[in-house]
């Protein structure tokens, strides 16, 4: 499949909406996990607590705390996505969609793979090592990362 060289603002909005929906689904899943583990951490008030019950309750509470941390990170990611400028870009910067080696990335946010309009995208953090090699490059530019040369074949 030949990649288009550009993408208009309407198409970018569809990708942003798909990314937001993906992040919201992950957040809902995390919230469900937190609720499940918080429930497991509760001991029945009318039942004598054994050492095993207390230990399992403590472990469930610890896991619930970790899941709360995950939920907080996902909330922050969702906020970052919503606040990112997804205007059409001519150089790689946060809010750009960039493609190379047959893969597409949304720059400026961490995100697992998601689909939109028949294409798969992943997030590419502006804190990542590869971003420092990509920053400011334009369509058709090449860059070297991890000893391999790559060419930007998609940018929006």
């Amino acid at each position: 499949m030949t990649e288009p060289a550009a993408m208009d603002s309407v198409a970018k909005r569809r990708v942003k909406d798909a990314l937001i929906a993906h992040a919201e689904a992950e957040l809902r899943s995390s919230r469900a996990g937190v609720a499940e583990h918080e429930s497991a951490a509760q001991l029945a008030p009318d039942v004598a607590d054994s050492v095993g019950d207390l230990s399992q309750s403590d472990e469930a509470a610890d896991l619930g705390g970790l899941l709360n941390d995950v939920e907080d990170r996902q909330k922050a990611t969702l906020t970052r996505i919503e606040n990112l400028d997804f205007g059409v870009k001519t150089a790689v910067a946060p809010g750009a969609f960039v493609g190379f080696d047959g893969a597409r990335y949304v720059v400026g946010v961490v995100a697992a793979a998601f689909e939109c309009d028949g294409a798969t995208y992943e997030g590419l953090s502006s804190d990542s090592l590869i971003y420092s090699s990509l920053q400011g490059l334009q369509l058709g530019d090449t860059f070297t990362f991890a000893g391999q040369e790559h060419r930007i074949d998609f940018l929006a």
Side-chain angles (χ1 to χ4, degrees):
M1 178 172 101
T2 303
E3 301 243 7
M7 173 185 267
D8 67 17
S9 60
V10 174
K12 282 195 80 169
R13 180 63 199 196
R14 285 194 307 271
V15 175
K16 179 182 180 181
D17 290 345
L19 177 56
I20 288 171
H22 177 74
E24 288 172 340
E26 287 184 339
L27 181 57
R28 282 191 303 276
S29 176
S30 291
R31 285 181 176 153
V34 168
E36 179 182 324
H37 287 284
E38 284 177 350
S39 174
Q42 301 298 318
L43 295 174
D46 58 342
V47 177
D49 299 331
S50 71
V51 173
D53 290 339
L54 292 172
S55 176
Q56 288 178 352
S57 175
D58 288 346
E59 287 178 23
D62 290 345
L63 183 55
L66 292 173
L67 291 173
N68 275 327
D69 292 345
V70 169
E71 182 181 355
D72 290 344
R73 280 193 307 276
Q74 288 173 329
K75 285 179 188 176
T77 296
L78 184 56
T79 299
R80 206 168 19 259
I81 293 167
E82 291 170 339
N83 293 326
L84 202 54
D85 173 12
F86 281 97
V88 176
K89 308 286 191 251
T90 58
V92 178
F97 298 167
V98 64
F100 54 91
D101 299 338
R104 290 186 181 183
Y105 302 92
V106 178
V107 179
V109 65
V110 175
F114 67 98
E115 302 252 339
C116 182
D117 294 341
T120 301
Y121 297 84
E122 289 184 58
L124 191 144
S125 171
S126 53
D127 294 333
S128 67
L129 291 176
I130 196 167
Y131 178 72
S132 62
S133 297
L134 287 165
Q135 186 176 15
L137 296 182
Q138 298 179 344
L139 185 64
D141 287 350
T142 59
F143 66 99
T144 302
F145 182 75
Q148 294 188 351
E149 188 168 297
H150 310 273
R151 182 180 169 279
I152 296 175
D153 55 19
F154 178 81
L155 183 63

